[in-house]
Amino acid sequence: AQTVTQSQPEMSVQEAETVTLSCTYDTSESDYYLFWYKQPPSRQMILVIRQEAYKQQNATENRFSVNFQKAAKSFSLKISDSQLGDAAMYFCASSGGGADGLTFGKGTHLIIQP
Amino acid sequence: NAGVTQTPKFQVLKTGQSMTLQCAQDMNHEYMSWYRQDPGMGLRLIHYSVGAGITDQGEVPNGYNVSRSTTEDFPLRLLSAAPSQTSVYFCASSSDSGGSYNEQFFGPGTRLTVL
């Protein structure tokens, strides 16, 4: 079984600044995958970034990057140069790669202050 | 491509009524799944399918049935709706037939209220 914990129910950041969202996970899988999904008010789930656990290099997608600490089972998301369009719920998720889908955290509500 | 589509977008049911939430994808994905999202919680897996004719239970399957007669469609049936099934329901698909290595493409969701 896998568990995902997001300890920050809400975060607020000024536009153009950097913010880091925290996520810890627990899994018995030796090979697994980690994801950050964004859910804006439209409710649509959008993949932000994906990390394969066997890769030591942290994934990066434009202004979004992760800090993957495998031993600590930590997977934080850093958003640089925050924009108003980044305001959303952010969900951390893990997968053992099997057919039993994704395990999600409870989410962090990110507020961008203009 | 339309991606993953869900109908209806909103639905109100009375306790004991039955209904089917529709999900279709046009990406020829083998893997499809249903999640529910409750306030203050992340998404939880209800049922999934790794291909036509193959379905299995997820974390919270009670009160729901699924079938997969074609690659494209994966309907979710509520046999006798209960207030505890009030939630937002998401359908997702993935090109990974084994499950969830790859990106899950989500539908827009169905908001269901059971009175």
Side-chain angles (χ1 to χ4, degrees):
Chain A
Q2 302 184 62
T3 60
V4 177
T5 302
Q6 293 179 251
S7 59
Q8 305 153 316
E10 187 172 278
M11 293 282 286
S12 181
V13 65
Q14 291 291 126
E15 192 176 4
E17 293 189 345
T18 295
V19 63
T20 298
L21 308 184
S22 301
C23 173
T24 58
Y25 63 93
D26 194 13
T27 179
S28 57
E29 302 286 343
S30 57
D31 190 19
Y32 54 91
Y33 303 79
L34 299 166
F35 306 82
W36 278 98
Y37 277 88
K38 171 185 178 181
Q39 187 179 43
S42 67
R43 206 167 64 196
Q44 183 69 48
M45 295 290 288
I46 303 164
L47 180 66
V48 174
I49 202 163
R50 173 177 176 267
Q51 173 82 42
E52 295 93 334
Y54 64 86
K55 289 187 176 179
Q56 293 185 343
Q57 186 172 6
N58 289 327
T60 299
E61 289 287 343
N62 300 316
R63 298 182 295 108
F64 299 86
S65 61
V66 298
N67 183 5
F68 175 44
Q69 301 290 326
K70 191 171 184 178
K73 295 185 177 177
S74 171
F75 183 60
S76 60
L77 175 70
K78 185 172 83 171
I79 306 174
S80 303
D81 186 25
S82 298
Q83 301 176 0
L84 294 177
D86 295 334
M89 285 292 293
Y90 285 81
F91 291 96
C92 179
S94 70
S95 167
D100 53 353
L102 299 172
T103 299
F104 286 85
K106 293 185 177 183
T108 296
H109 181 211
L110 179 63
I111 298 168
I112 310 294
Q113 304 279 6
Chain B
N1 287 352
V4 180
T5 58
Q6 291 183 237
T7 55
K9 285 188 169 53
F10 302 92
Q11 183 70 49
V12 179
L13 291 178
K14 294 181 180 178
T15 296
Q17 287 185 316
S18 63
M19 79 159 295
T20 299
L21 306 185
Q22 301 292 344
C23 174
Q25 52 89 13
D26 61 359
M27 298 173 282
N28 203 31
H29 285 171
E30 290 293 329
Y31 183 81
M32 297 185 73
S33 55
W34 278 101
Y35 291 86
R36 61 178 287 173
Q37 182 180 24
D38 300 307
M41 300 188 70
L43 281 68
R44 292 182 293 168
L45 184 67
I46 304 171
H47 284 286
Y48 63 90
S49 169
V50 298
I54 306 170
T55 64
D56 208 342
Q57 297 179 352
E59 180 186 355
V60 288
N62 291 342
Y64 307 95
N65 276 0
V66 293
S67 60
R68 183 100 178 267
S69 56
T70 67
T71 299
E72 294 78 18
D73 301 300
F74 189 44
L76 177 72
R77 282 183 288 276
L78 283 70
L79 303 177
S80 178
S84 61
Q85 294 178 304
T86 294
S87 190
V88 178
Y89 292 84
F90 288 95
C91 179
S93 73
S94 169
S95 60
D96 170 30
S97 61
S100 49
Y101 292 98
N102 294 324
E103 177 180 1
Q104 302 286 307
F105 291 85
F106 285 86
T110 295
R111 181 177 293 277
L112 175 68
T113 301
V114 183
L115 302 176

